Amino acid sequence: MRLIKQSVDRDGSGSITLFPEEPEDMWHAYNLIRPTDLLRASAIRRVTTESTTGSTASHRVHTNFLIRVTGIDFDSHAGQLHVSGRIAEENKYVKVGQYHTLDLELQRNFTLDKADGWDSVALGVVRDAVDPVNRAEVGAVVMQDGLANICLITEHQTILRQRVEMAIPRKRQGKASDHDKGLTSFFQTTLDTMLRNIDLETPKPIILASPGFTAAGFQKYLLETAAQTNNKLLLQNRDKFITVHSSSGHLHSLNEVLKSPEVLSRLKNTKYARETGLMDGFFTLLRKDEGRAWYGPNEVTAAVQKGAVGKGGGVLMVSNKLFRSQEIGERKRWVGLVDKVKAEGGDVRILSSEHESGRRLEGLGGVAAILTFPLEDLDEDGDQDDESVGNIIAVEGAQI
């Protein structure tokens, strides 16, 4: 994401113009835009005109619309963001109050004016979005014979860049060559697709996962091909490939792959691995029951108010889903909590709901904290479903 213009006053009023450059940027936009915000972007609208003779003609026009947002629809796999709302500024094609849906596109500016002002969390999303360091951290090819899913794992989500599907003849007595030819063609197509979708100029770990020996065979093929064609980028990155087992070649298998100790040890410097380790540490403290690990909106709020999530090891973990609440008061509650913890020297981690660590946090109510000193009985007045959360803790204990 590129920052084109920022005009935000100290009171949070004003607007920011951004230029999305890659699919990950649509995820950031999704986390920024809320109902009642003002959004300006380019659009195509079909216009019908009537001539003096009474005949009508329809044509499409390119223009800019300003809408008051009423709804947001995000397709994470396609990287498409559709924002609906009412026209807030009239032009020759539309009148104020008409409904229109803006499809935000890559390589096209959009300008956002926050209805309730730019708070610290929203400005943090912008900083993360425009920081060139925050790009794809890990590449992955999850595959089986005839199927390969090429993915990028970023700080915030897993993006399916492209899927390869090919029919490979089965091995039959006397016709093994047909299978071998089909497998070689599949490997070549997968390699070409991987090179188009994973930038090897920026070194990053690349996971090759499959049931059986498909991933190992693919790694052998790509290294042999790199040597034969003198592909320097592939050869320079040969140590970045991690071959692991998965239950299938479908995308959902990536979650189990990313939890494996072998992968986590290689990804220890990535945000994904750090957040996974943070959640593991939280559940370890929770099982010890020493009063330093608390979850749930009321309990965590009480801990923050008592100054227990501050300097000296305090960590507040919040799911980014809470900041997408359509209730302004609810969002302000969590922004205020984040600001208080930061002011007191504590660490704040906003976990993505698109990653496994964020989904684990959602199972605890979307918010949890590691305290600097133990507190007891924070849940006496809460109405948390202890049995359901106890089941989650039991499952987590079995996984770690």
Side-chain angles (χ1 to χ4, degrees), residues 145-156:
D145 282 3
L147 173 67
N149 291 285
I150 289 86
C151 312
L152 289 176
I153 303 165
T154 73
E155 287 198 350
H156 306 280

Side-chain angles (χ1 to χ4, degrees), residues 300-371:
V300 171
T301 299
V304 172
Q305 296 301 330
K306 292 176 183 291
V309 194
K311 189 176 181 180
V315 183
L316 174 67
M317 294 164 280
V318 187
S319 168
N320 61 3
K321 268 193 173 182
L322 296 179
F323 299 105
R324 294 201 295 269
S325 172
Q326 296 189 21
E327 296 292 332
I328 294 176
E330 185 72 6
R331 177 185 169 86
K332 285 186 174 181
R333 172 188 181 181
W334 301 117
V335 172
L337 208 65
V338 165
D339 289 344
K340 182 171 175 59
V341 170
K342 287 182 177 179
E344 295 178 353
D347 187 12
V348 176
R349 305 289 183 89
I350 298 176
L351 274 56
S352 171
S353 58
E354 292 292 307
H355 276 169
E356 185 64 23
S357 55
R359 287 190 281 269
R360 293 166 74 187
L361 182 60
E362 285 177 30
L364 300 176
V367 61
I370 296 173
L371 313 190

Side-chain angles (χ1 to χ4, degrees), residues 39-41 43 45 63-67 87 91 93-94 100 102:
L39 176 67
R40 185 185 298 275
R45 190 172 178 94
T63 184
N64 281 296
F65 289 151
L66 179 69
I67 66 170
I87 299 295
N91 65 23
Y93 302 114
V94 291
H100 186 81
L102 290 173

